[in-house]
Amino acid sequence: MNEKIVAYCGLVCSDCEAYTATQSGDREALEAMARRAHEEYGVPDATAESARCDGCLGGEGYKSGYCFECGVRACAIGRGVTNCAHCDNYGCETLTAFIDQAAAAKELLEQIRGSL
């Protein structure tokens, strides 16, 4: 994968294990992810199918776990922005609650915002 796919929140979808396994059709990796979700995070109904992801920006495609119901994603889609760095309300409570726990996402959004 040559091009970096940046999610609305600043995470890099193209670096995500769920995304890369889905795009390459790696069923074993998806099954391993489902096992980890069950064992490490207590997700009782995790399956290889539920681990599939076409990326945050992938429209109606597969969304892995929390990505499907993500408030940051829903907000960005509603506002029609490429990602949160492009939003007039950048730094809102919804985004801040997320990026305070994701230093790499915050750094990337700041870089993008600085280049606008």
Side-chain angles (χ1 to χ4, degrees), residues 51-114:
R52 294 176 72 184
C53 193
D54 287 321
C56 185
L57 310 177
E60 297 301 316
Y62 295 105
K63 303 289 172 268
S64 180
Y66 179 74
C67 296
F68 184 74
E69 58 193 55
C70 176
V72 173
R73 179 177 179 270
C75 179
I77 290 170
R79 290 176 172 268
V81 295
T82 303
N83 59 50
C84 291
H86 293 262
C87 185
D88 291 338
N89 197 26
Y90 180 76
C92 70
E93 186 176 313
T94 302
L95 177 63
T96 300
F98 172 76
I99 62 174
D100 281 350
Q101 300 173 30
K106 181 177 184 176
E107 183 179 326
L108 182 54
L109 288 175
E110 290 291 328
Q111 288 175 3
I112 294 168
R113 190 146 176 93

Side-chain angles (χ1 to χ4, degrees), residues 15-29:
D15 290 347
C16 174
E17 189 177 358
Y19 179 83
T20 57
T22 300
Q23 301 313 301
S24 67
D26 188 343
R27 183 75 181 185
E28 286 182 31

Side-chain angles (χ1 to χ4, degrees), residues 38-61:
H38 177 70
E39 294 166 4
E40 295 175 22
Y41 304 108
V43 180
D45 57 348
T47 64
E49 191 65 24
S50 68
R52 294 176 72 184
C53 193
D54 287 321
C56 185
L57 310 177
E60 297 301 316

